[in-house]
Structure formats: C-alpha cells, structure tokens
Amino acid sequence: MAGVASAGVLLQFYLSLRLASANGQSLAFGVASYFGYFTILTNLLVCLALALPLLARASAGGRFFERPSVAAGVATSIAFVGLAYHLLLRHIWAPQGLQWLADVLLHYAVPALYVLYWWFVLPKAPLRWTDPLVWSGYPAAYLAYGLARGAAIGSYPYPFIDVAAIGYRQTAINAVGLLIAYIGLGFVLVALGKAKARNNEG
C-alpha cells in the first residue's frame, strides 16, 4: 500500500511538472500547483501513515500514526478524498493515459486500500465521538491555505472554492457544507470502529 500511494503521488508530481513546462510555466509554478491540492496532501499523509510505522516504528512519527484516533482520522480524510472526487469532480474532466492512471491511484485505489487496511488491520479502540471534530481541523486548515494561496497566485485548486469565479459567499457556503460532510463521515467511521471493537472484545 505504501508503494501504491508513493507511485500515485510521484506520478502526479511528474505530470504536474510536465504540464507546467508544456504551458510555458516555471517548474516552481508546477511544484506550487502540485502542493495546492487536498488530494495530494492527503495521499502524502497516507504515505507517512503507512511508511513511518513500517520503517521507524519506535520513532515519534511511527508511534503517532499507530494511535487509533490518528489512523481513523487518516482513514476519514482519504475516504473523503475519494467520495468528494467521485461525487463532485469526476464529471468535469476526462483524464487520459498516465493522467488517468494517476487519477485512479490517488482518488480510488489509495482511498479504498487504506480504508480496508484500517478496517481489517488497525486497532479501533479507543475512539471518541469528539474525534471527528478534532480531525476537521485538517480540512479547515487546508481551506485557509487554499484560499490564501489562491489569492496570492490567482488560481484556486477546486471550482467549489474558486473565489474569483463564485465569490466569497458561495465559497463559504460550499466550505461549510463540505466540512459538515467530512465530520459526518468521521462520525460514521467512529461508529463503525466502536462496533468493531465491541465485536472483537465479545
């Protein structure tokens, strides 16, 4: 799974640089564009969540990502990536070739594999009903970053937070809706995790 996640983010990094070059833009612009997407940042988070416990389990990072609440938060975030893309974004473009492969890896393969890994392998207890509220700090921080970055370079990564096209009011409405959906998804995973933990104890 760490290999699949790494292949996805590295392939998309290459494609982002190639696209910037083809459009006459600098490599720095390609790098900035690449790191502007919630999908990329969350797939990188999955890479860390998989690799650190595997390669450096005794390290602070390894222990951090082995905590049940952290692993469930990562599962919520990457599941949100897959669901949001499938419901909101897949209809607005038709990737081909290597871009199609990167698209499948980042939005479908990695989310499905990590959620299955969380469900079948990782410990579920203790999870708290307040955990999704804590996890929501991650997409909220991304929103602040995405808006600040967009204002600075004049380009927003997603149409539903494109202030230049839809204005701040609609952007705020969209952001609140997505944040509520994220928290709701988190509650679903907490409920499932608690049920699985009780079943294992029984």
Side-chain angles (χ1 to χ4, degrees):
M1 282 188 294
V4 171
S6 298
V9 295
L10 289 173
L11 176 58
Q12 187 58 59
F13 185 67
Y14 161 74
L15 293 172
S16 295
L17 295 184
R18 190 177 72 172
L19 179 63
S21 178
N23 290 336
Q25 298 160 333
S26 68
L27 294 182
F29 182 90
V31 172
S33 176
Y34 174 79
F35 284 108
Y37 290 91
F38 187 78
T39 292
I40 295 299
L41 298 176
T42 307
N43 273 269
L44 288 170
L45 181 65
V46 168
C47 289
L48 290 175
L50 292 169
L52 286 178
L54 179 67
L55 301 176
R57 188 172 187 178
S59 68
R63 294 193 303 272
F64 175 77
F65 283 111
E66 282 195 326
R67 290 165 52 185
S69 61
V70 173
V74 174
T76 298
S77 297
I78 195 64
F80 185 76
V81 164
L83 290 171
Y85 178 80
H86 186 75
L87 296 174
L88 301 176
L89 297 171
R90 70 184 177 94
H91 303 292
I92 67 176
W93 75 322
Q96 304 292 325
L98 289 177
Q99 187 59 69
W100 174 85
L101 177 59
D103 183 70
V104 170
L105 290 174
L106 296 171
H107 297 111
Y108 293 106
V110 173
L113 287 172
Y114 190 84
V115 170
L116 289 172
Y117 171 65
W118 172 78
W119 178 250
F120 287 108
V121 178
L122 297 179
K124 309 297 181 298
L127 288 177
R128 303 177 183 87
W129 289 112
T130 56
D131 284 338
L133 301 178
V134 176
W135 304 336
S136 68
Y138 169 55
Y142 170 78
L143 175 64
Y145 160 69
L147 293 178
R149 173 187 170 279
I153 68 174
S155 175
Y156 295 85
Y158 298 108
F160 40 78
I161 60 168
D162 188 346
V163 173
I166 64 176
Y168 278 103
R169 181 177 181 275
Q170 189 60 50
T171 296
I173 292 172
N174 294 344
V176 170
L178 289 168
L179 193 59
I180 291 172
Y182 178 96
I183 293 171
L185 179 61
F187 283 136
V188 170
L189 265 67
V190 169
L192 292 173
K194 284 180 172 291
K196 183 75 177 289
R198 286 195 301 270
N199 184 60
N200 290 342
E201 290 172 359

